[in-house]
Amino acid sequence: MGNSKSGALSKEILEELQLNTRFTEEELSTWYQSFLKECPSGRITRQEFQTIYSKFFPDADPKAYAQHVFRSFDANSDGTLDFKEYVIALHMTSMCKTNQKLEWAFSLYDVDGNGSISKNEVLEIVTAIFKMISPEDVKCLPEDENTPEKRAEKIWGFFGKKDDDKLTEKEFIEGTLANMEILRLIQFEPQKVKEKFKEKKP
């Protein structure tokens, strides 16, 4: 997937990113220059990604969530993201269509990458999300979802699954599309994320 390390973004990658995201050629070219300044090798490591992600959430602890986001976008599992993977990550977490976002959300929640989601995996991601919610905001959450355990229980209950059942991608996407409550529960305050990405584009 590699990008050239020269100052210009290859025409093939530029066209592919324009096709798959809503970003313009000008935006992508500008971001690429910034990306190369931050990551001269043309690749970003897990640690660097966590550092960048932390800038979006200075008042929270997004490390665990950032690790899961990184894993879900490291398409070739080489421990780094190239520019293309990085832009897709920005697009998917901030402004893509619901169906695309749910495909990504499934890969985020499928922690071990085995093609299905367990209740424990839901709890792991929800716990990471809670580390990004301020104590003041947690106090405002409904009683039945104000801890990671309660929220995971609520999500799993909406899907009608037993504790040791598994959730397929099809069940996950169809169930979430049929119940906007699930969509709300599996995300970290999507509006705030969107606003922060708009403020601090690369």
Side-chain angles (χ1 to χ4, degrees), residues 87-139:
V87 170
I88 294 292
L90 282 178
H91 172 67
M92 294 293 266
T93 54
S94 63
M95 58 194 298
C96 72
K97 293 175 183 174
T98 301
N99 263 45
Q100 287 179 305
K101 192 170 281 186
L102 289 178
E103 286 174 11
W104 166 67
F106 181 83
S107 69
L108 180 73
Y109 277 83
D110 181 15
V111 176
D112 63 8
N114 71 349
S116 64
I117 296 173
S118 69
K119 188 177 179 182
N120 280 339
E121 287 175 317
V122 171
L123 179 59
E124 185 171 341
I125 301 299
V126 170
T127 299
I129 288 173
F130 261 73
K131 288 180 181 174
M132 296 165 64
I133 304 175
S134 71
E136 292 76 27
D137 287 344
V138 169
K139 286 176 191 172

Side-chain angles (χ1 to χ4, degrees), residues 145-201:
E145 58 182 75
N146 61 4
T147 69
E149 292 75 15
K150 287 179 183 176
R151 182 174 280 206
E153 192 69 45
K154 192 171 182 178
I155 292 168
W156 208 241
F158 275 132
F159 284 111
K161 294 288 186 179
K162 295 175 184 170
D163 282 0
D164 57 353
D165 283 346
K166 303 283 186 188
L167 196 60
T168 66
E169 182 175 17
K170 184 171 185 286
E171 289 173 325
F172 178 81
I173 292 174
E174 287 180 356
T176 307
L177 287 173
N179 189 337
M180 287 295 108
E181 270 293 278
I182 297 177
L183 186 61
R184 179 182 66 79
L185 289 166
I186 64 171
Q187 297 183 96
F188 166 66
E189 302 178 273
Q191 194 53 43
K192 284 193 179 182
V193 173
K194 198 168 183 178
E195 285 165 8
K196 287 175 186 292
F197 272 117
K198 279 184 177 175
E199 287 166 17
K200 297 190 177 185
K201 281 182 177 174

